Amino acid sequence: MLLNTVLTIAPLLVLLRGAAGDLLSDIENALRDATDCASCHALLLPLQTLAHRGDSAFVDTFISICDDFQLEDPDVCAGLVSASGPILAHDLRQISAAGQTATKFCDAVFGLCDPPPVNAFTVPFPKRAPAHPTTFKSTGKTPFQVVHISDVHIDRFYTVGADANCTKSICCRNFGDETGPPTEPAGPNGNARCDAPETLADSMYEAIQQFAPHAAFTLFTGDVVDHTDWLVNKSVVTFDLAAFNFDMVTKLKGPIYPAIGNHDTAPVNTFPRDTTITPLETQWVFDTQSAGWEPLIGAAAALQEKHTSGSFSAVVPGMKLRIISLNTQFWYKQNFWVYDSEVQQPDPNGLLAFMVQELQAAEDADQRAFIIGHIPLGKEDTLNDQSNYYDQITQRYKNTIAAQFFGHSHKDQFEIAYSDFNDQTADTATSIAIVAPALTPTSGNPAFKIYDIDPDTFEIMDAKVYITNISTPNFQSHTPQWEFYYSARATYGPVTSPPLAANAPLDPAFWHRLTEAFETNDTAFQQFNTFISRGADVGACDAACKASTICDMRALRAENNCDGPSLGISLKRDERAQGRMAESDACEGRSIAHIFRSLVNRDDLTQDFARLRRSSRVPRSVLED
Ligand SMILES: *[C@@H]1O[C@H](CO)[C@@H](O)[C@H](O)[C@H]1NC(C)=O
Ligand SMILES: *[C@@H]1O[C@H](CO)[C@@H](O)[C@H](O)[C@H]1NC(C)=O
Ligand SMILES: *[C@@H]1O[C@H](CO)[C@@H](O)[C@H](O)[C@H]1NC(C)=O
Ligand SMILES: *[C@@H]1O[C@H](CO)[C@@H](O)[C@H](O)[C@H]1NC(C)=O
């Protein structure tokens, strides 16, 4: 009986599995087989064939798959695939399915490969490190204040009363496909499922005036645009950038030193390299920001911004301090333009060379420097190669760089660089990167930081966090109230061994000692874990989570982080992909990579593809051999 059934259905199964032998069945079979890095390389072969049939064949196929498999709402499928699909198709036409770029592509798009080992490259420097570097000594002057805001993600189309409980990754808007009345009408001041309404942003500008009325300057580490990644286009992004530039000029006191984020372009994350795409397709971003930032950073820096792919350097008026703002997106794995060549390009658009040039100028002038950028260099989502080269620059100019400032993760975090990553001690700790929490309420209570900075050494004396608590009962009925949350000096100074001395800076050695305190003092570590999201939706962090969190604190070089489980056949596919994506989810919203990752993690591809064939939505060209 059983045997009979098997014999009867077997031919049927063959039919369903795509006996047709067309391109669609090749894609189906390759997707089903894609479980590891080698099979991901194999999957790229039919995808390349599809890409060669044209961008629209590629885009239409994946929109129909995304829709038919219900991977996202139809508008999200159409928006994400139309915007980013042509870039992936372009990549696939340029590279070998067996090459190293394909391995990186499989890591970024499917989460099925580990990043390849770092390609050795020695960053050239104009001068050797001085034998007797300038020493910057504190004379005990009163610190000045610096404000740090990040990831504002202001939704200029936030709609009070729209559903905050929608079917998409970001809500509180009328998307036009609602099927009933809102189950949770959006309040005026924000919601954890939505990006920041203007009222919330305005309350933060007021809080900054209130808590730091005499701040010397403000740092903004990027991400202006909201997370409706499937809707953004050049006109919306230009509008959003201009609106926030206007806010900075009119509602905050200057100078303000901004950086470009991965959301500050369209399609999201995309910044082509000048070696492979000319003219630069995202020059409009740099032009918009150059014009909008000129009142904040001055004409010379604005011109640099325009001509250095969104990076600039400026000396703070009246200080021996140079701010170097870098467009970190050229080192970002989810910028799919970086996979369009087999040729190693160690320094896309010359930004590492620019960083060297500006640090050398600072060293020559006995200035100190702050590096600012959007994406901190230590996480899983930065390319290991460029992170390694960046670290070489950090090490060469460790005496000049006083501190580094980033955003992107939406979390209150820090990352340490070491002169020897194999010997991580307070003595080898050479640089500190502070990661600011976000204004957008999607990953914790809205927050910003105020630093106390020593005017002689430009070292951080304290980092204080201010929040507004979106869970307070009257949050929607009044202007959001901001409050002091914690001081790093007051909270962490006493727990290190030895405790932080009065007047000692929060230097790299201090932050390393703090990681040691976290190892032994779980109370202190759990407090940090609460601070990450400013006390909202605090995730439990067990011993394994704690170990990888501390590992990441000690990794301002991506090859040293402990993000995501390592690949192995013992892991289920979706656990693996989700683990790797989890860290970047908050910063990413929904990208085309989510669609591709969901595809290789589906259990019912056979049925799905059979239904898709019946739907006759697939382009004819894909149904040919
Ligand atoms: C959110 O929406 C879902 C689906 O429409 C519904 O089942 C759920 O009850 C809603 N949640 C709230 C808090 O209204
Ligand atoms: C850009 O997106 C907006 C809103 O999503 C839309 O109204 C507009 O027509 C789009 N513009 C272009 C040029 O596609
Ligand atoms: C925010 O407010 C809620 C409700 O009053 C409270 O339970 C929570 O502890 C507050 N969070 C912080 C970080 O103060
Ligand atoms: C551990 O940390 C807690 C909270 O930060 C602090 O109160 C306590 O004194 C620390 N314990 C030791 C032994 O340092």
Side-chain angles (χ1 to χ4, degrees):
M1 175 64 196
L2 184 65
L3 186 68
N4 246 336
T5 312
V6 170
L7 288 175
T8 321
I9 65 167
L12 191 67
L13 275 178
V14 170
L15 205 69
L16 286 175
R17 284 176 66 101
D22 57 20
L23 179 55
L24 189 66
S25 57
D26 292 346
I27 293 170
E28 174 190 346
N29 293 333
L31 278 172
R32 189 183 299 104
D33 291 343
T35 53
D36 59 12
C37 190
S39 48
C40 185
H41 280 275
L43 165 62
L44 299 194
L45 289 167
L47 295 186
Q48 285 181 314
T49 307
L50 178 60
H52 281 292
R53 291 188 187 178
D55 284 354
S56 45
F58 190 89
V59 166
D60 293 349
T61 300
F62 281 102
I63 290 179
S64 62
I65 288 176
C66 178
D67 271 354
D68 209 73
F69 297 10
Q70 298 184 354
L71 301 180
E72 300 285 349
D73 286 356
D75 53 342
V76 178
C77 286
L80 291 181
V81 179
S82 314
S84 296
I87 301 172
L88 297 184
H90 162 79
D91 291 342
L92 289 163
R93 287 189 294 263
Q94 303 302 317
I95 63 174
S96 148
Q100 196 198 67
T101 304
T103 304
K104 292 180 176 176
F105 184 98
C106 277
D107 173 27
V109 178
F110 292 101
L112 286 171
C113 289
D114 270 333
V118 169
N119 294 293
F121 171 74
T122 305
V123 176
F125 297 114
K127 294 181 189 171
R128 283 168 182 275
H132 303 287
T134 307
T135 51
F136 299 92
K137 271 191 80 95
S138 175
T139 55
K141 294 194 186 97
T142 308
F144 64 86
Q145 291 185 310
V146 171
V147 177
H148 186 181
I149 59 179
S150 202
D151 296 82
V152 292
H153 292 288
I154 300 167
D155 186 353
R156 304 281 170 181
F157 302 95
Y158 184 100
T159 307
V160 177
D163 207 340
N165 174 30
C166 70
T167 52
K168 305 188 201 299
S169 52
I170 201 83
C171 303
C172 299
R173 269 203 198 189
N174 289 323
F175 291 112
D177 60 353
E178 294 79 6
T179 51
T183 54
E184 188 190 338
N189 294 332
N191 186 292
R193 290 204 192 89
C194 312
D195 275 321
E198 290 176 8
T199 50
L200 181 59
D202 285 340
S203 74
M204 180 177 75
Y205 308 144
E206 280 168 28
I208 290 169
Q209 306 301 341
Q210 178 193 343
F211 291 111
H214 307 297
F217 56 87
T218 294
L219 307 174
F220 167 59
T221 47
D223 269 8
V224 170
V225 179
D226 63 73
H227 288 89
T228 57
D229 297 351
W230 64 97
L231 289 176
V232 296
N233 56 31
K234 184 174 161 179
S235 44
V236 169
V237 169
T238 305
F239 173 80
D240 284 348
L241 295 180
F244 186 64
N245 289 339
F246 184 76
D247 279 2
M248 285 196 287
V249 172
T250 57
K251 298 175 181 172
L252 288 167
K253 273 195 239 151
I256 301 174
Y257 300 99
I260 291 180
N262 60 300
H263 280 270
D264 302 333
T265 185
V268 66
N269 304 334
T270 57
F271 289 90
R273 297 178 293 186
D274 55 14
T275 42
T276 36
I277 299 286
T278 47
L280 213 48
E281 278 189 24
T282 41
Q283 186 60 40
W284 59 273
V285 173
F286 311 139
D287 293 346
T288 303
Q289 298 304 66
S290 175
W293 293 354
E294 188 174 329
L296 308 171
I297 63 177
L303 201 64
Q304 236 176 4
E305 200 277 347
K306 192 181 174 86
H307 296 296
T308 321
S309 300
S311 303
F312 70 85
S313 150
V315 178
V316 180
M319 293 191 192
K320 295 205 76 151
L321 177 66
R322 181 178 293 255
I323 313 279
I324 302 171
S325 173
L326 299 170
N327 183 352
T328 54
Q329 281 60 243
F330 289 95
W331 314 323
Y332 185 38
K333 279 186 188 175
Q334 299 296 316
N335 172 10
F336 297 129
W337 285 114
V338 303
Y339 307 114
D340 70 348
S341 168
E342 286 297 334
V343 180
Q344 286 296 326
Q345 299 187 34
D347 185 13
N349 293 36
L351 297 191
L352 295 171
F354 174 76
M355 182 181 174
V356 169
Q357 169 195 305
E358 295 303 322
L359 283 166
Q360 187 62 56
E363 183 181 272
D364 290 345
D366 286 338
Q367 296 161 346
R368 288 213 109 176
F370 281 179
I371 308 283
I372 69 169
H374 182 60
I375 305 178
L377 275 286
K379 290 183 196 297
E380 175 296 310
D381 56 6
T382 291
L383 292 158
N384 283 0
D385 281 353
Q386 277 72 31
S387 181
N388 178 289
Y389 313 153
Y390 178 99
D391 179 65
Q392 293 177 37
I393 302 172
T394 302
Q395 299 309 328
R396 163 63 184 83
Y397 294 100
K398 59 177 190 266
N399 189 60
T400 298
I401 301 170
Q404 312 189 33
F405 303 89
F406 299 94
H408 183 60
S409 71
H410 298 184
K411 297 172 182 168
D412 181 0
Q413 292 170 313
F414 61 90
E415 294 177 1
I416 307 163
Y418 298 86
S419 54
D420 181 356
F421 275 88
N422 295 316
D423 177 29
Q424 298 176 322
T425 66
D427 288 338
T428 62
T430 47
S431 200
I432 180 66
I434 306 281
V435 180
L439 168 68
T440 184
T442 52
S443 10
N445 282 312
F448 65 90
K449 289 197 180 191
I450 299 176
Y451 305 105
D452 290 338
I453 303 290
D454 183 293
D456 294 311
T457 66
F458 301 103
E459 286 178 310
I460 299 170
M461 303 306 290
D462 199 0
K464 300 192 184 84
V465 177
Y466 295 79
I467 66 165
T468 181
N469 184 345
I470 65 168
S471 306
T472 50
N474 63 358
F475 182 72
Q476 300 298 348
S477 52
H478 296 80
T479 303
Q481 299 299 301
W482 289 74
E483 58 190 292
F484 168 73
Y485 187 42
Y486 81 98
S487 140
R489 183 173 200 100
T491 307
Y492 296 140
V495 307
T496 58
S497 177
L500 185 67
N503 305 323
L506 308 189
D507 60 7
F510 162 78
W511 292 100
H512 177 80
R513 287 191 198 100
L514 180 60
T515 65
E516 290 177 336
F518 287 158
E519 283 178 326
T520 55
N521 183 339
D522 196 54
T523 312
F525 175 78
Q526 294 304 335
Q527 192 171 27
F528 169 86
N529 188 53
T530 302
F531 290 162
I532 284 180
S533 58
R534 293 76 74 197
D537 278 334
V538 178
C541 195
D542 62 9
C545 157
K546 175 171 165 176
S548 71
T549 304
I550 292 175
C551 164
D552 283 3
M553 293 171 185
R554 295 173 178 166
L556 181 49
R557 191 173 71 169
E559 68 202 79
N560 297 91
N561 72 45
C562 301
D563 289 345
S566 62
L567 297 182
I569 42 170
S570 60
L571 271 174
K572 278 175 61 182
R573 296 201 290 181
D574 49 341
E575 276 178 288
R576 180 170 65 219
Q578 269 153 31
R580 309 187 117 229
M581 208 61 189
E583 176 68 26
S584 47
D585 252 359
C587 8
E588 192 45 49
R590 272 284 181 275
S591 82
I592 197 170
H594 282 88
I595 294 172
F596 281 92
R597 278 161 202 249
S598 328
L599 268 181
V600 293
N601 284 304
R602 274 179 95 79
D603 295 324
D604 40 8
L605 280 174
T606 305
Q607 284 169 29
D608 288 333
F609 270 91
R611 196 182 56 243
L612 177 66
R613 277 175 187 284
R614 288 196 299 269
S615 77
S616 42
R617 293 197 44 183
V618 181
R620 290 186 67 89
S621 67
V622 182
L623 297 171
E624 291 158 11
D625 283 356

